[in-house]
Amino acid sequence: MTDLTRDDVIKALSLVMVNEREFLGRWVFMNNVTVFEGLVAVMLTQNTSDKVATRVYERLKGRIGSITPNAILNLSRGELEEILRPIGSFRQRASRLIELATVVNERYGGSLEFIRNMNTEEARKTLMSLPGVGPKTADVVLLNLGKPVFPVDTHIMRISHRLGIMGGYERVSAFWIKLMKPNEYLMVHLGLIAFGRAICRSRKPLCSNCPLRDKCRYYMSNKTLQA
């Protein structure tokens, strides 16, 4: 494990600017959408950049207005697929959204608003029981509802592993939950993503600009980065 401290993280994240508008999940929840609409928006970001997902979300919303289970089900499959086309695997995603809308209608009467009042564990379990919803998607929704969770995307996983925080999703998430304060989870989550995009990049990371390099296993073990 790493000897990373909370202060180390705060110092590193001071180097990047977080524009909440660039994170679709965060942006939609800032606009007081329903839990269902927020969930759909977050699902659009799966394996897709926020920029592309935002464009598709706006196309979907422009076509049906409020994103509800019934509004999705009232679209023909062909029309839904066409809206989702800019996203990879758009046919599979269309099937997933149709299945999600059907399940939410049949199981919960078309609304997921009750999740706001559930405890974190039950809310997470409920979301993950829905079609197409895994741990990260559930956690992004819950974090934006004010629950004490820490979503881990590809950027955060890469940063974590480079720092020596090893393991899968749950273990990495637990590390950040323990290290940071609950009221910091949201901005640290967004900050780490921004840090991964700007500095701790997948290719050609800017290690010389990183204040965490002396605690970074990736940097310390790579002599070419230290030259």
Side-chain angles (χ1 to χ4, degrees), residues 102-225:
T102 301
V103 169
V104 172
N105 264 351
E106 293 178 351
R107 193 183 297 173
Y108 301 117
S111 174
L112 295 175
E113 292 307 294
F114 65 93
I115 287 176
R116 296 179 187 272
N117 299 319
M118 298 179 82
N119 66 51
T120 302
E121 183 179 353
E122 285 300 312
R124 193 171 194 255
K125 182 178 178 181
T126 299
L127 284 172
M128 289 178 61
S129 74
L130 297 172
V133 181
K136 193 200 86 168
T137 297
D139 285 347
V140 171
V141 171
L142 293 175
L143 183 63
N144 281 287
L145 293 178
K147 307 293 187 183
V149 296
F150 200 99
V152 177
D153 81 326
T154 54
H155 294 289
I156 297 174
M157 189 66 77
R158 179 176 65 252
I159 293 168
S160 300
H161 286 176
R162 284 178 173 174
L163 289 168
I165 306 160
M166 307 309 293
Y169 183 95
E170 300 295 344
R171 187 170 182 181
V172 171
S173 176
F175 173 87
W176 292 105
I177 285 174
K178 183 177 180 180
L179 185 68
M180 308 307 298
K181 299 177 181 178
N183 65 351
E184 296 169 335
Y185 293 167
L186 176 59
M187 292 314 296
V188 170
H189 164 74
L190 299 179
L192 285 171
I193 296 174
F195 192 80
R197 290 171 176 172
I199 296 175
C200 193
R201 305 179 302 195
S202 177
R203 296 181 180 181
K204 297 182 179 179
L206 304 180
C207 297
S208 60
N209 296 348
C210 179
L212 302 178
R213 61 182 177 271
D214 292 338
K215 294 188 176 182
C216 177
R217 291 188 183 180
Y218 175 79
Y219 175 79
M220 298 302 289
S221 64
N222 195 326
K223 299 299 182 184
T224 61
L225 296 174

